[in-house]
Amino acid sequence: MPTTLRNTFEKQTVIQNIYSHKEPQTCTLSGSEYLFTICDGTVLMMNDACEVVKQFMGNAQSITCFSVCSINELLYVVDRSNMMLIYALDDDESALHEVKIGSKCPISISLDSTGRFAAVGSSDNTIRVFDVSLRHMTHLFRCGRVPEIISFIPGELQFLVAAQSDPVIKVYDLHEKKQVGSLRNHLSSIAYMRFLFDGKFLLSTGSDNVICLFDVKERRFLTEFTAMETIHTILVLEEICDSPIANSDVIARVLVAGESNNVRIVDVTLDRFKVKSEYKLPITNSSRKNYASDYIRHGVLLNGRAMLFSTLTHISVLSETFDAIDFSILGYCDTVISTGFLPWKKEEMVVVTNDAFVVHRRLGSMMGQLLFAHTEPVLSACISARSKHMVTVSRDKSSVLWEYEDGSFVPLVRLTGHTSSVTGASIFSYSEIEMAVYTVSADRTLKRFDINTHNINGDAKATWTQIIHETDINSIDISPNGNLIATGSQDKTIAIHTCDGEFVDRLRGHKRGVWNVHFSHKTKLLASCSSDGTVRLWSMENYELMKTLKLVESGAVLDVCLISNDMQIAAVYSTGVVAVINIKTSEMAFGTDAHDGSRVWTIKSYDDGDHLLTGGSDGSVIFWHDKTEEAIRLEEEDKQAKLELQQKLWNFIKAKRYVEAAHICLELNFSKRLLTVIGMMNDKSLHQFLFETAKKDIPNILLLQERNSRNEEKEELEVLETNSRNLGMETTDMGTILDVKRDEKKVISLMLRLFKFCRDWMCHSRTYTEAVRIITKQLEIHALDRFSELLSLDMSNSKFIILTVQSYLQKHINRLHRMLHTAYILKQYTGMDSFEEEEDGEKPRIVAVENALNDIKNSL
């Protein structure tokens, strides 16, 4: 039993989409270990294990195309806001430059070999070429059709080729600013292009199932190969000879793959293609209507390995000899509607997506297994806690019982009999081989299947069937002791039955359909959630409603589970909220907006809530870890530290050490006590306090954030080392330097806090005098550029400095203006010039003050 209620969870692992069949674009950086792919409008930078290292988003998170330059290690992306954004790969995720494209819906981009020029093809049938360094367009080519594929000829800035939804590859000359030639042999539109030997030769594929070889410089067709399928990727494995003596000499070896999932290793000569080896990838076709078939859509070479991307989330990584699959990576899913850990191996989990398969993978790894047994999308999966079995249910009106064996799941038996989609299942295992499986369906029925895994012969038939609801049944759960079964339906009720099918009671109270039901660990409570936005707790002793919880005003509650020894409820909402609710107080102990605000369909827990697993419509799975004990420990440490500081404060005041006492008041945010302590100080002590508050040199962080060369990280380190030496600190390691940087940020925070105090004190006549005294000393100690630095470092709080100093100076300027006016009148009557320049050439003091005020206003 936990000693405290859980109130702090943090995301420990997020399994997200890394590839989308809708946006089949990937590339690698020459000489790098990173792969780039576009998914859901975001470019992901991944390592060779497909773990996301960094992600880059456009202005509207809707990137349509991208390209990577290996010369300067920059990423060029184009988004639907018609902007080209340029990112440094080794920098943070903010764009270095932006270039306005001015075209309609850009769909393709290509860079020249230097990265200075970028060509963008758009759906308005144009190709625009930009000088990125000058941020303006240099060329505009109007095409007859949409330029779906464009590319600079490697090594030659002068020429650009484009495939425009027709059988012709057109060549454009940037010097002459017009089309100067074409490459012809295909009979239908071009699907893929790949250059050889820095643009000397070009390999192209089309929907006519033909691969063509062209001599680019002479602009002529050389030879072709009929593949009997549309080829979507060509990977150059080896460039052998760019100047063959005979036409039969091999110039390159390539890997080609396409819609039939055939992988061929082909030797390319000037007069023909020679197939060296061929095999078929074991990718199972999906029956989902969104996919005509599952086929290879794209491919890249990374660290000497070929990675082939299919339309069905599959990423096949080939062996170093390219003759077999080394391992598979599961890269994409549309919507996570159910998930769960394996109780006997908690580092593994299953994920049900909006497709006809189930994903079995290790936590934190992209590698896994696709489980095929259904012909329609799977709706749910139930894992037995007592045996190594799982049941999946589907819209194909059937359920499948799986057995875990040697690290993977294998199908055992199909459970049939329902006349509509099977929406839920629950297992109660009597032993490792005997179990009862209960299923519910949109046909309003509850079925029981008695299974003996050692005696399976064909499809299993139900032991008994009962119609238990008026409309579709959404969910089912069985009590831990196996005595009771609860089902939730769209008819707004919850039906309770015994394990033998006898009716016990019907729970009413929800105003809309019931999405999920969940028994407590001791079978004393039942939690239910509904589209009416409520979570209800029911007693399993008298079957009466105990409590109704509604914390989020809008949105349905889609799933629920009991944690913390049945003292808390974890619930997920259609608005993206993940919440933990204390049952006794009906208060939210933890709540956060997860999954980018999309619907969160499922939540599961293990170790009584130490870990939670959620999945949503954004296609991601989030693994949450309970941090309550650590948060309590940190809170206690912070409380103890504050008590120690308060004790020091009283001791310093008693000893009349007002400077040290003022520093503690400022750190503890004691405004009134600080004012009292400052009132006890003489001018010398106040000067010392204000000087020590800002004694550390504040670095120009904005300058440190700009990266204009590869040596800037080193320069940042040198700046930090200089600051630390100014403080008299040894700079022997990076940890010390980072401590210096944190100290500087703390100094900025304390100075801003002091200005806030002064601003508040100047609003009251009783404290105005001390506030003016502090501001006067601040202006005597620090130059105006010091305040400008503060403004640039923390713009969110800069208004307090502006308002404080401006209010102070304005009062004195008004007084000086009245003095000036009086002096002017005296001059008119007496002829005296009271404001002539002094002998040393200094201007009157009022002019200096006015200039100071103007400087402060301009810095805002």
Side-chain angles (χ1 to χ4, degrees), residues 423 440-442 444-446 468-469 471-475 487-489:
T423 54
V440 292
S441 167
R444 304 175 296 151
T445 63
L446 166 67
I468 59 174
H469 283 281
T471 57
D472 299 5
I473 304 175
N474 291 330
S475 60
T487 56
S489 170

Side-chain angles (χ1 to χ4, degrees), residues 835-837 842-849:
F835 286 85
E836 290 183 354
E837 293 189 359
E842 291 184 355
K843 292 183 178 182
R845 196 167 185 79
I846 183 172
V847 178
V849 175

